[in-house]
Amino acid sequence: MNEGVQLSRLTTIGTGGPARFLAEPRSVAELTDALVFAHRRKLPVVTIGLGSNILVPDEGFDGVFLRLRGELATVSVEDTAVIAGGGAPLAVCLHKARAASLGGLEFACAIPGSAGGGVWMNAGAYGGDIAGVLRRALVVDCDGPAWRTPGELGLDYRRSELRHGQVVARAELALRHRPSEAIKATVAELQTLRKEAQPTNRRTFGSVFKNPEHELTAGRMLDACGLRGYRIGGAQISPKHANFIENAGGATTADALALVVAAKRAAHEHFGVTLETEVVMVGDIGSDTSAGSSR
């Protein structure tokens, strides 16, 4: 258990203060022990995964951050299933699937996160999502591990019913036979689309908002509001895709949050739509992002 680890080094956006504790469990037993440690001290718990899709307060986090290692970050193939530790990058899962000629996970080439994080938020892209391939997940809390089906996880569009302190330690992904060359071709096509449309060579946390039930996506809506390139402090709404916030140099979490508020306000004023954030807000930093909403 490490203390005072600077979280800006572990997040893809590059912001955030120190964590009171950082635990890096390598087994289900060690993960359970870390969760019991936090529970007994009444400390909040957050799993950081690969550091994407998360915003951490600039002043830090008075709790326990988890980063899964060891057997909790391995990937194997059994028949037509990929068995992934919660800390395993989805990119590695896809690589293993392609090597075994197993298709169905190609959409994951656009998701820079872990298998556990993918389950936790039902990550998806290009028409596919984790709910479409997940057989079951091993969820650990301070009472120990338990397997849960997609129905028991409550998977929906970019969300599940899991909460902080409930950690996906393992996921079983049910795939199907497909020639590896066909998988490679699909992945190449999707990666080209992603590089053309998204700021893949910039520091971001991924998509800011979920797409609303509207004819326009969140990105197109914010683009229509004239927000591409809009900057506050060291953070800016990406000039390439308006549903991304970039660290343009020396950004703070406060800068990024100010952009989130400005974007929500603009979408509500121009379209009457209340955008919902996709990024996970740690602590109470998201309490002010409802500005401009109808609630």
Side-chain angles (χ1 to χ4, degrees):
M1 192 81 68
N2 299 308
E3 297 185 49
V5 175
Q6 196 67 25
L7 293 169
S8 59
R9 297 190 292 107
L10 304 181
T11 59
T12 56
I13 187 68
T15 69
R20 181 172 176 185
F21 295 105
L22 173 69
E24 299 183 295
R26 304 178 64 85
S27 67
V28 170
E30 289 183 6
L31 174 56
T32 304
D33 287 345
L35 293 170
V36 169
F37 171 90
H39 179 71
R40 288 176 175 171
R41 290 161 179 77
K42 295 182 167 51
L43 294 173
V45 177
V46 173
T47 306
I48 198 167
L50 300 184
S52 62
N53 195 52
I54 193 169
L55 270 177
V56 180
D58 292 314
E59 61 271 24
F61 178 68
D62 188 21
V64 179
F65 259 93
L66 297 171
R67 187 163 59 164
L68 306 187
R69 300 291 203 179
E71 68 182 54
L72 301 181
T74 60
V75 183
S76 62
V77 175
E78 296 180 10
D79 193 17
T80 58
V82 167
I83 314 299
L90 282 169
V92 174
C93 298
L94 174 57
H95 175 76
K96 292 279 190 177
R98 185 180 66 190
S101 297
L102 295 177
L105 197 58
E106 290 85 343
F107 68 89
C109 71
I111 304 172
S114 65
V119 173
W120 206 82
M121 67 166 290
N122 188 23
Y126 299 114
D129 61 17
I130 293 297
V133 296
L134 182 67
R135 178 186 294 164
R136 60 177 185 165
L138 183 66
V139 177
V140 181
D141 58 23
C142 60
D143 293 323
W147 286 101
R148 297 194 189 185
T149 65
E152 291 168 333
L153 292 165
L155 300 185
D156 201 351
Y157 175 66
R158 302 299 178 267
R159 67 173 299 275
S160 72
E161 293 180 357
L162 294 173
R163 297 295 178 261
H164 293 303
Q166 298 174 306
V167 183
V168 178
R170 191 166 294 118
E172 294 183 359
L173 308 176
L175 306 179
R176 62 182 185 276
H177 291 295
R178 190 184 186 206
S180 60
E181 287 304 310
I183 296 171
K184 184 177 180 180
T186 298
V187 169
E189 180 182 353
L190 295 181
Q191 287 179 332
T192 296
L193 291 173
R194 180 171 177 246
K195 288 177 181 178
E196 288 175 350
Q198 299 178 12
T200 55
N201 60 344
R202 296 288 187 268
R203 298 200 73 171
T204 76
F205 49 70
S207 298
V208 182
F209 299 106
K210 300 177 183 180
N211 285 323
E213 293 184 3
H214 191 275
E215 60 181 325
L216 295 179
T217 63
R220 291 184 183 278
M221 189 174 290
L222 298 177
D223 193 12
C225 293
L227 289 179
R228 279 203 200 199
Y230 180 61
R231 181 165 178 163
I232 295 178
Q236 71 172 353
I237 293 178
S238 173
K240 195 168 189 178
H241 193 307
N243 199 24
F244 286 78
I245 290 175
E246 301 177 0
N247 186 336
T252 64
T253 293
D255 295 337
L257 286 172
L259 286 178
V260 171
V261 171
K264 285 178 71 80
R265 182 180 296 116
H268 192 262
E269 289 176 353
H270 286 78
F271 296 97
V273 171
T274 301
L275 291 177
E276 182 182 352
T277 53
E278 184 171 314
V279 60
V280 175
M281 308 278 190
V282 174
D284 62 357
I285 62 172
S287 60
D288 295 328
T289 62
S290 60
S293 76
S294 59
R295 286 182 275 174

